[in-house]
Amino acid sequence: MLFEAPIRLEDLCTKLACTFVGNPNTFVVGLNEIHVVGTGELTFVDHPKYYLKALKSPAAVVIIDQKPENCFGKDLIITPDPFSLFKQLMEKESAFVPSNQLVSESASVHPTAIIQPGAFVGNNVTIGANCIIHANVTIYDNTIIGDRVIIHANSTIGADAFYVKRRSGYYEKFPSGGFVVIENDVEIGAGCTIDRGVTNKTVIGEGTRMDNQVHIGHDTLIGKHCLIAAQVGISGVVRLEDYVQIWGQVGVAKDLTIGKGAVILPKAGVIKSLEGGKSYLGAPAEETKTAMRQWVAIKKLPEIIRKFKI
Amino acid sequence: MLFEAPIRLEDLCTKLACTFVGNPNTFVVGLNEIHVVGTGELTFVDHPKYYLKALKSPAAVVIIDQKPENCFGKDLIITPDPFSLFKQLMEKESAFVPSNQLVSESASVHPTAIIQPGAFVGNNVTIGANCIIHANVTIYDNTIIGDRVIIHANSTIGADAFYVKRRSGYYEKFPSGGFVVIENDVEIGAGCTIDRGVTNKTVIGEGTRMDNQVHIGHDTLIGKHCLIAAQVGISGVVRLEDYVQIWGQVGVAKDLTIGKGAVILPKAGVIKSLEGGKSYLGAPAEETKTAMRQWVAIKKLPEIIRKFKI
Amino acid sequence: MLFEAPIRLEDLCTKLACTFVGNPNTFVVGLNEIHVVGTGELTFVDHPKYYLKALKSPAAVVIIDQKPENCFGKDLIITPDPFSLFKQLMEKESAFVPSNQLVSESASVHPTAIIQPGAFVGNNVTIGANCIIHANVTIYDNTIIGDRVIIHANSTIGADAFYVKRRSGYYEKFPSGGFVVIENDVEIGAGCTIDRGVTNKTVIGEGTRMDNQVHIGHDTLIGKHCLIAAQVGISGVVRLEDYVQIWGQVGVAKDLTIGKGAVILPKAGVIKSLEGGKSYLGAPAEETKTAMRQWVAIKKLPEIIRKFKI
């Protein structure tokens, strides 16, 4: 997420009452979670596993819990608890302001869009031409919806990311400051949940159609013209390229890429990135022909064990 | 779906600006998707795989993309794009008319029925005696609900079918013109989604009870006195006979029949029709005793491989 | 559930027009389902499998369908249909009184709590300080919510248990008379469903956080500081101890205990109680290292069959 205006690193640290290592005149343009941080932005890292990812990212400034051997040209804010400092900054930028109306006065709804009774449209939401938002849909603040989008009843767009920090004895919630973008000609089924990004955007690409009870995690980018069947769950920070088809009750683990035109068959569990143009099956998902061979073999197994007395 | 009045084939084709092969005086009584088309109705087919099904169906008229060898007595409308012509006809018959009230004035709600705050009841919905419709339920247009039906909160009855046509580079939505019928003494859990038929009805049979977050696809016919546990997903055009029990998180693929009294155990994935009176398990689902034997064999497999150095 | 005041067994039986075996002066303090019945309460049992459990429970009085060999000091009400008698008693205690307002006048909402538009808050609900109840959430009667609880949009708290009695030819619904308790600092995702207890409470322990589309069955007790990912389904009468982590699309069968700190990996199907402090995988779930060995073995199986021509 971008700040309203870029801010000098030194000024930012004065506001946060912290110190920095680097150039006081570096301009910080915004802040973002490590997976999605952009040029000139600030991010945080608190686990050695991700040090390199943060330091080699496009970020201008990294909040980190110890001085790294090589800072790869980043300015640093060193603090024992980067999460807290980042959260503090985040909360200044994205406090929850409750709307007390079903359709917020700050929402921009195209006059040809239909908002059915009971639908909630939060602050600063944009809804394009010829959309249909069915009854009891809930659209959180700052969601951007294109033209000719249909959202069926009881779906939730833009709820908070499932994103916490393990503390001693409890989990600390990180406030979600991102938002959801739904491009033109998307159709979203009933009872779906699409979380907003932690600091950035979750995107449903143009022409994608999803059935009911689909879950899409924070910061996930769904490509154009994908089909997603009922009860599919896609975790956070997943990238679906264009024309992917995912059938019923599939689960996709976080931070994976599914290549263009891949087809994932029902009930599969995807735990690694998948190449495009192929079909996948099983949990863990493998290429369909591989998974089918295993299924055929398993069917024979009891007879083999009996016959060979093994 | 039936037309308001039967129409002569010749008159229909004049309205649609298309030609026909057959008897101009054939009366067309309505239109329906191939899986559910009835006597005297019109349907469409655009894939050789389904030519015979369409031509041997009870339809009076078939919209088809090429002249078949044998028309089996059907009158034909031959056009390179049957989907578009059928869609055009459908849209004339079932345009979406938004209601601007939580309970539409055209809905017929029995005086003993309880409609809780926030529930949406669409146009021409019928709700019988002693029903309880909990808060934030959404009931789309034309749904028919019997007596003593309970629908728990945030469920959606009658959203559009997940039904599209692949075009070059995108998917075209087919408008849903069907509806949902919920018979007497049904109970539907919270957060369920029951889609209406594409051109016909989705039915939940008398006395059937379902837990939360169940998904039922378009044109599916659920029998009487079935039990369906939480997070089950049943695709479109499935027929559940009476007294079927389906346990948690099961998925059933489209266009299958599940026989009377079948029991499907948790997490099963059903990809072919199942005989009644038996118990099934696994994905793909098999008879429970077969699936159990495979599970026992798999448990032994690592030890067998180690022992025999295979 | 407790009665408003304890009642003498003889007086209770006069009200119910039934007879008893035992001490007329036994005070009955409330009624509860067999799994959760407490000291001085009344419960029912109608299957020999559960006779001993009922008779050795802390109950004061047991409604039973035949005279047991040993009554273990319980007073008994013997009737051919214990379910009906218990249901009759239950219905007297917990009739559904519909609220005709989005936020019931009998609800007690802390002034610092935020209730977003479209949320329904039933009769006698308590909501603590600094809670956020998002739009279109539905909270059934008698729910108790602590401080700093966040409930995301379209979730349902306190819908009826999925609890029926098989009769000849149909299922009879048992009315739910229990309620839900959500302790401090809990976060519940969007589109979740948490059922109330049949006669007692369903509890979500302090600091527990759940993602979207999670289902929690009746009378289930979730410990403190658990993490439950999207689309998990937990059946009724399950006990999750503290610090349990359950990942996406897992299912847990009814009446199990999951030990402290257990981790259940995505898509697992849990059918027996699990020890704490370990990691589990697969359906049926086993310890992760065991399940992994089986998966490795299955991958080799087609090649083994080919090589050994078995």
Side-chain angles (χ1 to χ4, degrees), chain C:
Chain C
M1 50 187 301
L2 297 179
F3 297 144
E4 287 187 23
I7 181 169
R8 284 178 66 248
L9 176 56
E10 186 172 35
D11 298 342
L12 185 76
C13 289
T14 303
K15 268 175 69 177
L16 292 171
C18 68
T19 59
F20 63 92
V21 179
N23 179 356
N25 294 315
T26 295
F27 271 99
V28 186
V29 299
L31 79 178
N32 254 325
E33 202 261 352
I34 185 174
H35 291 97
V36 292
V37 67
T39 303
E41 295 180 333
L42 171 150
T43 192
F44 82 99
V45 66
D46 57 7
H47 194 291
K49 183 177 165 191
Y50 293 109
Y51 284 174
L52 269 181
K53 178 158 189 176
L55 294 167
K56 290 179 155 181
S57 75
V61 180
V62 177
I63 311 180
I64 191 167
D65 56 349
Q66 60 169 79
K67 190 166 169 34
E69 286 183 28
N70 183 342
C71 70
F72 292 90
K74 303 300 184 219
D75 297 319
L76 303 175
I77 299 174
I78 300 169
T79 162
D81 189 354
F83 181 90
S84 285
L85 195 65
F86 192 74
K87 180 179 166 183
Q88 188 187 330
L89 191 53
M90 186 77 181
E91 283 171 341
K92 281 190 210 291
E93 296 296 319
S94 67
F96 175 60
V97 180
S99 164
N100 58 7
Q101 298 180 291
L102 270 176
V103 179
S104 163
E105 281 177 14
S106 64
S108 166
V109 178
H110 193 279
T112 59
I114 296 166
I115 312 289
Q116 288 280 270
F120 173 86
V121 179
N123 300 311
N124 305 313
V125 169
T126 302
I127 298 179
N130 298 114
C131 288
I132 304 176
I133 310 299
H134 280 279
N136 293 317
V137 165
T138 300
I139 302 175
Y140 280 55
D141 296 355
N142 305 317
T143 301
I144 298 171
I145 296 177
D147 297 335
R148 297 173 302 278
V149 169
I150 301 170
I151 304 179
H152 285 285
N154 290 303
S155 280
T156 302
I157 313 300
D160 290 358
F162 187 58
Y163 194 83
V164 297
K165 173 80 184 165
R166 179 156 212 167
R167 298 296 191 183
S168 168
Y170 71 101
Y171 295 93
E172 182 179 351
K173 176 187 172 69
F174 188 82
S176 288
F179 58 104
V180 175
V181 175
I182 299 179
E183 297 181 355
N184 294 340
D185 298 300
V186 166
E187 182 168 6
I188 291 169
C192 291
T193 58
I194 300 175
D195 283 351
R196 59 179 158 158
V198 170
T199 55
N200 207 312
K201 61 191 176 188
T202 301
V203 178
I204 311 299
E206 184 184 318
T208 284
R209 294 184 181 273
M210 58 182 81
D211 201 351
N212 301 334
Q213 298 184 29
V214 170
H215 165 70
I216 307 286
H218 66 89
D219 295 290
T220 283
L221 306 175
I222 305 288
K224 296 182 196 307
H225 308 296
C226 295
L227 290 183
I228 303 177
Q231 296 180 326
V232 165
I234 300 181
S235 303
V237 202
V238 169
R239 291 156 300 278
L240 247 68
E241 297 182 355
D242 300 341
Y243 298 106
V244 170
Q245 291 183 17
I246 303 188
W247 296 102
Q249 297 183 333
V250 165
V252 180
K254 72 174 179 178
D255 200 14
L256 302 180
T257 297
I258 311 298
K260 185 174 173 180
V263 175
I264 308 178
L265 296 175
K267 278 196 174 284
V270 181
I271 59 172
K272 58 180 189 192
S273 290
L274 300 178
E275 265 183 64
K278 291 177 177 171
S279 163
Y280 300 90
L281 179 62
E286 304 194 70
E287 271 196 65
T288 299
K289 62 190 176 205
T290 307
M292 291 293 282
R293 271 199 296 263
Q294 291 170 15
W295 280 358
V296 169
I298 288 170
K299 281 176 90 100
K300 291 180 186 165
L301 190 57
E303 179 61 15
I304 290 170
I305 289 178
R306 198 193 58 78
K307 199 164 149 192
F308 289 84
K309 298 188 171 58
I310 52 180

Side-chain angles (χ1 to χ4, degrees), chain A residues 231-288:
Chain A
Q231 296 180 324
V232 166
I234 299 181
S235 303
V237 203
V238 169
R239 291 156 300 278
L240 248 69
E241 296 183 355
D242 300 342
Y243 298 107
V244 170
Q245 291 182 17
I246 303 188
W247 296 103
Q249 297 183 332
V250 165
V252 180
K254 71 175 179 179
D255 201 14
L256 302 180
T257 298
I258 311 298
K260 185 175 173 179
V263 175
I264 307 178
L265 296 174
K267 278 195 174 286
V270 181
I271 58 171
K272 58 181 189 192
S273 291
L274 299 179
E275 264 182 65
K278 292 177 178 170
S279 164
Y280 300 90
L281 179 62
E286 303 193 70
E287 271 195 66
T288 299

Side-chain angles (χ1 to χ4, degrees), chain A:
Chain A
M1 51 187 300
L2 296 180
F3 298 144
E4 286 187 24
I7 181 169
R8 283 178 68 247
L9 176 56
E10 187 172 33
D11 297 343
L12 185 76
C13 289
T14 304
K15 268 174 69 178
L16 292 172
C18 68
T19 59
F20 62 92
V21 179
N23 180 355
N25 293 315
T26 295
F27 271 99
V28 185
V29 298
L31 80 177
N32 254 324
E33 202 261 351
I34 186 172
H35 291 97
V36 293
V37 67
T39 303
E41 294 181 333
L42 171 151
T43 192
F44 81 99
V45 65
D46 56 7
H47 195 291
K49 183 177 165 190
Y50 292 110
Y51 283 175
L52 268 180
K53 179 159 188 175
L55 294 166
K56 290 177 155 181
S57 75
V61 180
V62 176
I63 311 180
I64 190 167
D65 56 348
Q66 62 170 76
K67 191 166 167 33
E69 285 183 30
N70 184 342
C71 70
F72 293 90
K74 303 300 185 218
D75 297 318
L76 303 175
I77 298 174
I78 301 169
T79 163
D81 189 355
F83 181 89
S84 285
L85 195 65
F86 191 75
K87 180 180 167 182
Q88 188 186 329
L89 191 52
M90 186 76 181
E91 282 171 343
K92 281 189 209 293
E93 296 296 319
S94 66
F96 175 59
V97 181
S99 165
N100 58 7
Q101 298 181 291
L102 270 175
V103 179
S104 164
E105 280 176 16
S106 64
S108 167
V109 179
H110 192 279
T112 59
I114 296 166
I115 311 289
Q116 287 281 268
F120 174 86
V121 179
N123 300 311
N124 305 312
V125 169
T126 302
I127 298 179
N130 298 115
C131 287
I132 304 176
I133 310 299
H134 280 279
N136 293 318
V137 165
T138 300
I139 303 175
Y140 280 56
D141 296 354
N142 305 316
T143 301
I144 298 171
I145 296 176
D147 298 335
R148 297 171 303 278
V149 168
I150 301 170
I151 303 178
H152 286 285
N154 290 303
S155 280
T156 302
I157 312 300
D160 290 358
F162 186 59
Y163 193 84
V164 297
K165 173 81 183 166
R166 182 158 208 165
R167 297 296 190 182
S168 167
Y170 70 102
Y171 295 93
E172 182 178 353
K173 175 186 171 72
F174 188 83
S176 288
F179 58 104
V180 175
V181 175
I182 299 179
E183 296 182 354
N184 294 340
D185 298 299
V186 166
E187 182 168 7
I188 291 169
C192 291
T193 58
I194 300 175
D195 283 352
R196 59 180 158 158
V198 170
T199 55
N200 206 313
K201 61 192 177 188
T202 302
V203 178
I204 311 299
E206 184 184 319
T208 284
R209 295 186 180 273
M210 58 181 81
D211 201 350
N212 301 334
Q213 298 185 29
V214 170
H215 165 71
I216 308 286
H218 67 89
D219 295 291
T220 283
L221 306 175
I222 305 287
K224 298 183 195 306
H225 308 296
C226 294
L227 291 183
I228 303 176
Q231 296 180 324
V232 166
I234 299 181
S235 303
V237 203
V238 169
R239 291 156 300 278
L240 248 69
E241 296 183 355
D242 300 342
Y243 298 107
V244 170
Q245 291 182 17
I246 303 188
W247 296 103
Q249 297 183 332
V250 165
V252 180
K254 71 175 179 179
D255 201 14
L256 302 180
T257 298
I258 311 298
K260 185 175 173 179
V263 175
I264 307 178
L265 296 174
K267 278 195 174 286
V270 181
I271 58 171
K272 58 181 189 192
S273 291
L274 299 179
E275 264 182 65
K278 292 177 178 170
S279 164
Y280 300 90
L281 179 62
E286 303 193 70
E287 271 195 66
T288 299
K289 62 189 176 206
T290 306
M292 291 293 283
R293 271 200 294 264
Q294 291 170 15
W295 280 358
V296 169
I298 288 169
K299 281 176 89 102
K300 291 181 186 165
L301 189 57
E303 179 59 16
I304 289 170
I305 288 178
R306 198 193 59 78
K307 199 164 149 193
F308 289 85
K309 298 187 171 58
I310 52 180

Side-chain angles (χ1 to χ4, degrees), chain B:
Chain B
M1 51 186 300
L2 297 179
F3 297 144
E4 286 187 23
I7 181 169
R8 284 178 66 247
L9 176 55
E10 187 172 33
D11 297 343
L12 184 77
C13 288
T14 303
K15 267 175 70 178
L16 292 171
C18 67
T19 59
F20 63 92
V21 180
N23 180 355
N25 293 314
T26 295
F27 272 100
V28 185
V29 299
L31 79 177
N32 253 325
E33 202 262 352
I34 186 173
H35 292 96
V36 294
V37 67
T39 304
E41 295 181 332
L42 172 150
T43 192
F44 81 98
V45 66
D46 56 7
H47 195 292
K49 184 177 165 190
Y50 293 109
Y51 283 174
L52 269 181
K53 179 159 189 175
L55 294 166
K56 290 178 155 181
S57 75
V61 180
V62 176
I63 311 180
I64 190 167
D65 56 348
Q66 61 169 76
K67 190 165 169 33
E69 284 184 30
N70 183 342
C71 69
F72 293 90
K74 302 299 185 220
D75 297 318
L76 303 175
I77 298 174
I78 300 169
T79 161
D81 189 355
F83 181 90
S84 286
L85 196 64
F86 192 75
K87 179 179 167 182
Q88 188 187 331
L89 191 53
M90 186 77 181
E91 282 171 342
K92 281 189 210 291
E93 296 296 319
S94 67
F96 175 60
V97 181
S99 164
N100 58 7
Q101 298 181 290
L102 269 176
V103 179
S104 165
E105 281 177 14
S106 64
S108 166
V109 178
H110 193 279
T112 59
I114 296 166
I115 312 289
Q116 287 281 267
F120 173 85
V121 179
N123 300 310
N124 305 312
V125 169
T126 302
I127 298 178
N130 298 114
C131 288
I132 304 176
I133 310 298
H134 280 279
N136 293 318
V137 165
T138 300
I139 302 174
Y140 281 55
D141 296 354
N142 305 316
T143 301
I144 297 171
I145 297 176
D147 298 336
R148 297 172 303 278
V149 169
I150 301 169
I151 304 179
H152 286 285
N154 290 303
S155 280
T156 302
I157 313 300
D160 290 358
F162 187 58
Y163 193 84
V164 297
K165 173 81 184 166
R166 180 156 211 167
R167 297 297 190 182
S168 167
Y170 71 101
Y171 296 93
E172 182 179 353
K173 176 187 172 69
F174 188 83
S176 289
F179 59 104
V180 175
V181 175
I182 299 178
E183 297 182 354
N184 293 340
D185 298 300
V186 166
E187 182 168 6
I188 291 169
C192 291
T193 58
I194 300 174
D195 283 351
R196 59 179 157 159
V198 170
T199 55
N200 207 313
K201 61 191 176 188
T202 302
V203 178
I204 312 299
E206 184 184 320
T208 284
R209 294 185 180 273
M210 58 182 81
D211 200 350
N212 301 334
Q213 298 185 31
V214 170
H215 165 71
I216 307 286
H218 66 89
D219 294 290
T220 283
L221 306 175
I222 305 287
K224 297 182 195 306
H225 308 297
C226 294
L227 290 183
I228 303 177
Q231 296 179 326
V232 165
I234 299 180
S235 303
V237 202
V238 169
R239 291 156 300 280
L240 248 68
E241 296 183 356
D242 300 342
Y243 298 105
V244 170
Q245 291 182 19
I246 303 189
W247 296 102
Q249 297 183 333
V250 165
V252 180
K254 72 174 179 181
D255 200 14
L256 302 180
T257 297
I258 311 298
K260 185 175 173 179
V263 175
I264 307 178
L265 297 175
K267 277 195 174 286
V270 181
I271 58 171
K272 58 180 188 192
S273 290
L274 300 177
E275 264 183 64
K278 292 177 177 171
S279 163
Y280 299 91
L281 179 62
E286 303 193 70
E287 271 196 65
T288 298
K289 62 189 177 205
T290 307
M292 291 293 283
R293 271 199 296 264
Q294 291 170 15
W295 280 358
V296 169
I298 288 170
K299 281 176 89 100
K300 291 180 187 165
L301 190 56
E303 179 60 17
I304 289 170
I305 289 178
R306 198 192 60 77
K307 200 164 147 193
F308 289 86
K309 298 188 172 59
I310 51 181

